[in-house]
Amino acid sequence: MKFIHLTDIHLVRPGQQLMGGNPAQRLDACLRDIEMWHDDAKFCVISGDLAEFAQVEVYQFLKDRLESFGLPVFIMLGNHDNRKIFREVFPDHN
């Protein structure tokens, strides 16, 4: 079985940079690459840190982007993430 694992994406508000890079653009490029070259994978795991600062709009950006992603996704929080804020955006996430 083939699955994809992404980790420590450290998203910030869309349009903002973190340490000279744009995490949202990197995530988008990565997801497009996965869809192009690894569409035979069964699922994708994205493990934390999902967000650098655990902001609602960052988790909402992630949720919106994953809605159009071609694979089922399982999300795991990291130490930069905030479970309460995350659950506001992903209430059905177990």
Side-chain angles (χ1 to χ4, degrees), residues 11-61:
L11 292 172
V12 293
R13 288 185 173 122
Q16 287 189 330
Q17 291 198 341
L18 179 66
M19 294 185 234
N22 186 318
Q25 287 178 346
R26 287 194 310 256
L27 175 64
D28 194 53
C30 183
L31 295 178
R32 284 193 318 266
D33 188 80
I34 292 166
E35 289 177 315
M36 181 178 292
W37 300 106
H38 302 285
D39 64 340
D40 58 334
K42 296 294 183 195
F43 60 89
C44 178
V45 174
I46 304 177
S47 57
D49 301 315
L50 304 173
E52 180 69 13
F53 304 112
Q55 298 156 314
V56 169
E57 58 268 35
V58 172
Y59 293 126
Q60 187 63 54
F61 168 81

Side-chain angles (χ1 to χ4, degrees), residues 8 10 48-55 59 77-82:
D8 292 281
H10 288 270
D49 301 315
L50 304 173
E52 180 69 13
F53 304 112
Q55 298 156 314
Y59 293 126
L77 302 180
N79 65 303
H80 283 229
D81 295 304
N82 180 293

